[in-house]
């Protein structure tokens, strides 16, 4: 890994794209190479342009956390098991990455844990899983709160990492029968010291939760609820913000579960998704949101009238928000860019690429976007980078000019697996 470390250091010395790139009307799209499989996804991009995420190996039975640098893909390895992943926007500009990795050790309680929703199905629950920090070519496991599993999500420039970790308490609110979850878990911040872990408070009456993102002011966001299935649903009864030692409820869009902040910028503005259906908290019918201290939680809606699902996954300092908008059962998804009150199909803004941009998953402060695309020729799901092109004259209208492209079954399965849902549980 030494050569990769040197490459990262070299990249830190390069000038980032001009701030004038913000707000341009067109994007130049480049697909990124994979580790041999048919699925890869760019889930995070920092202000230096380093893209991280996950890429499967040939056969798609397992995948590893990946870093894309100067057009090349680099395998970040695991903690001894088959799978690893960088799933959340990390947002550290110091070369620090955070994610999840299997250890190779069987789970003594047979839990599938949160990580299993993000790994290929055949090997998703093959061992315990821990959060990790990757720094300059070295992957280090993060401690739990006495349980067997952990999950690292976001990071900041101060060396703090957000996530959630199991305690040793057998929580009766866990959905043991359906998900196999047994142990309670709590939202945590690791660092800045190598062995530091700090538990965050929950809403009154809640037992479990997760911290998903953190900014350089130390503000963190995440979810608070019951143990449930360790992925969303009733664990996400409350979308919350932690600051100065207190927990603040961000509200919701009308539902009783699935309220999940995904990213927070330096201004403390939060992007995520919230259930709009109050009839059944276990059913996912979510819309993207933007929360600000002054305006509260704003429903960003969907790209098109026939879309049912939308999720905001990334936000930058300019309050540009990216995400995905999908028809029922995630049959067709399009990446979106939301800016100045308008949601636009990113496919309508791209140049030089004939594939479908299905998910926009993060955006940096220079307006560069990464995510997941469907290759037009092969149908493979590939990571991409979309860079603003200078000389634009403003955003196009959001009128549908891109034909519907059906999502490959493998991608739909991946989305549903991440949410631990069956097709029948999704509503039109």
């Amino acid at each position: 890994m030494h050569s990769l470390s040197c490459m990262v250091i070299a990249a830190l010395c390069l000038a980032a794209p001009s701030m004038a790139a913000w707000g341009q009307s067109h994007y130049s799209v480049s697909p990124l190479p994979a580790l041999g499989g048919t699925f890869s996804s760019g889930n995070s991009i920092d202000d230096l342009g380093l893209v991280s995420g996950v890429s499967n190996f040939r056969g798609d039975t397992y995948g590893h956390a990946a870093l894309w640098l100067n057009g090349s893909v680099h395998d970040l390895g695991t903690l001894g098991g088959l799978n690893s992943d960088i799933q959340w926007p990390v947002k550290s500009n110091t070369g620090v990455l955070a994610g999840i990795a299997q250890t190779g050790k069987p789970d003594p309680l047979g839990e599938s844990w949160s990580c299993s929703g993000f790994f290929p199905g055949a090997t998703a629950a093959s061992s315990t899983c821990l959060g990790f920090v990757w720094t300059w070519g070295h992957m280090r496991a993060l401690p739990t709160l006495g349980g067997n599993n952990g999950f690292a999500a976001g990071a900041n420039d101060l060396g703090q990492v957000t996530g959630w970790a199991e305690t040793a308490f057998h929580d009766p609110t866990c959905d043991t029968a359906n998900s196999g979850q047994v142990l309670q878990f709590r939202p945590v911040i690791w660092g800045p010291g190598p062995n530091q872990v700090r538990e965050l408070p929950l809403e009154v009456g809640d037992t479990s939760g997760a911290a998903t993102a953190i900014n350089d002011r130390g503000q963190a966001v995440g979810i608070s609820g019951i143990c449930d299935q360790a992925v969303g649903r009733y664990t996400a009864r409350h979308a919350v913000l932690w600051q100065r030692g207190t927990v603040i409820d961000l509200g919701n869009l009308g539902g009783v579960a699935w309220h999940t902040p995904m990213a927070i910028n330096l201004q403390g503005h939060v992007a995520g998704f919230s259930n709009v259906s109050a009839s059944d908290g276990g059913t996912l019918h979510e819309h993207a949101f933007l929360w600000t201290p002054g305006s509260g939680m704003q429903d960003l809606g969907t790209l098109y009238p026939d879309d049912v699902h939308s999720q905001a996954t990334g936000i930058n300092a300019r309050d540009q928000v990216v995400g995905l908008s999908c028809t029922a059962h995630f049959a067709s998804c399009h990446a979106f860019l939301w800016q100045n009150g308008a949601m636009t199909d990113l496919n309508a803004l791209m140049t030089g690429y004939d594939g479908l941009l299905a998910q926009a998953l993060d955006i940096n402060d220079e307006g560069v976007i990464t995510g997941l695309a469907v290759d037009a020729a092969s149908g493979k799901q590939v990571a991409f980078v979309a860079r603003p092109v200078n000389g634009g004259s403003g955003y196009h209208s959001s009128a549908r000019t891109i034909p519907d492209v059906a999502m490959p079954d493998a991608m739909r399965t991946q989305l549903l697996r991440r949410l631990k849902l069956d097709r029948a549980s999704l509503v039109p």
Side-chain angles (χ1 to χ4, degrees), residues 230-254:
V231 175
R233 207 167 67 176
Y234 298 109
T235 303
R237 293 196 303 191
H238 304 103
V240 297
L241 166 71
W242 291 279
Q243 62 180 12
R244 295 187 291 274
T246 62
V247 58
I248 300 169
D249 194 327
L250 300 183
N252 59 70
L253 298 180

Side-chain angles (χ1 to χ4, degrees), residues 252-275:
N252 59 70
L253 298 180
V256 297
W258 290 107
H259 311 305
T260 306
M262 294 290 292
I264 182 171
N265 66 14
L266 192 59
Q267 295 95 301
H269 299 172
V270 182
F273 60 90
S274 176
N275 210 337

Side-chain angles (χ1 to χ4, degrees), residues 293-312:
S295 302
M297 187 175 289
Q298 176 185 356
D299 187 345
L300 302 187
T302 60
L303 267 175
Y304 304 115
D306 55 343
D307 285 351
V308 172
H309 310 280
S310 66
Q311 299 179 8

Side-chain angles (χ1 to χ4, degrees), residues 66-416:
L67 169 66
W68 286 272
L69 179 65
N70 297 331
S72 298
V73 60
H74 301 274
D75 178 0
L76 302 189
T78 74
L79 292 171
L82 293 174
N83 292 289
S84 61
D85 193 345
I86 294 172
Q87 186 59 40
W88 252 261
V90 178
K91 312 316 290 183
S92 171
N93 295 305
T94 63
V96 173
L97 300 175
I100 53 177
Q102 289 178 325
T103 65
K105 301 176 182 178
D107 191 305
L109 299 174
E111 294 179 323
S112 57
W113 184 232
S114 302
C115 298
S116 64
F118 302 95
F119 296 149
T123 57
S126 57
S127 72
T128 57
C129 179
L130 294 174
F132 72 78
V133 169
W134 184 95
T135 309
W136 310 122
H138 174 68
M139 181 181 287
R140 172 171 57 87
L142 293 169
T144 70
L145 295 173
N148 304 309
N149 295 281
F151 195 116
N156 63 14
D157 290 345
L158 306 178
Q160 296 174 305
V161 175
T162 55
W164 51 105
E166 287 186 324
T167 73
F169 178 66
H170 288 231
D171 193 328
T173 70
C174 295
D175 185 5
T176 305
N178 293 313
S179 71
Q181 185 63 31
V182 176
L183 298 179
Q184 177 187 86
F185 52 95
R186 295 297 180 94
V188 296
I189 293 178
W190 289 282
N195 296 312
Q196 291 179 310
V197 56
R198 173 165 57 94
E199 186 177 325
L200 297 172
L202 299 170
E203 284 285 295
V204 175
D206 289 346
T207 66
S208 290
T212 56
I214 189 169
N215 64 17
D216 286 345
R217 295 167 59 190
Q219 294 174 301
V221 291
I223 60 176
S224 176
I226 62 174
C227 176
D228 196 28
Q229 59 183 13
V231 175
R233 207 167 67 176
Y234 298 109
T235 303
R237 293 196 303 191
H238 304 103
V240 297
L241 166 71
W242 291 279
Q243 62 180 12
R244 295 187 291 274
T246 62
V247 58
I248 300 169
D249 194 327
L250 300 183
N252 59 70
L253 298 180
V256 297
W258 290 107
H259 311 305
T260 306
M262 294 290 292
I264 182 171
N265 66 14
L266 192 59
Q267 295 95 301
H269 299 172
V270 182
F273 60 90
S274 176
N275 210 337
V276 298
S277 173
S279 59
D280 178 9
T283 299
L284 183 66
H285 183 187
E286 81 285 20
H287 280 187
F289 73 74
L290 172 65
W291 181 92
T292 66
S295 302
M297 187 175 289
Q298 176 185 356
D299 187 345
L300 302 187
T302 60
L303 267 175
Y304 304 115
D306 55 343
D307 285 351
V308 172
H309 310 280
S310 66
Q311 299 179 8
T313 52
I315 186 172
N316 67 9
R318 195 179 171 86
D319 277 355
Q320 291 176 302
V321 176
V322 296
L324 57 146
S325 184
C326 307
T327 56
H329 310 302
F330 297 98
S332 177
C333 293
H334 286 211
F336 73 73
L337 170 67
W338 184 94
Q339 176 179 265
N340 297 327
M343 182 182 287
T344 304
D345 192 331
L346 193 59
N347 290 275
L349 307 177
M350 69 177 177
T351 61
Y353 183 66
D354 59 357
L356 171 71
L357 305 184
Q359 302 178 35
L361 298 173
D362 196 16
I363 182 170
N364 69 12
D365 285 348
E366 305 299 332
V368 184
I369 299 168
T370 191
L372 184 150
V374 181
D375 182 78
S378 66
K380 292 181 179 180
Q381 301 144 58
V382 299
F384 74 84
V385 168
R387 298 179 175 86
V389 177
N390 291 328
S393 58
Y395 284 102
H396 295 178
S397 72
S398 59
R400 184 188 288 267
T401 57
I402 306 299
D404 281 337
V405 180
M407 178 183 292
D409 285 343
M411 182 190 292
R412 187 181 302 111
T413 299
Q414 182 83 4
L415 279 172
L416 296 175

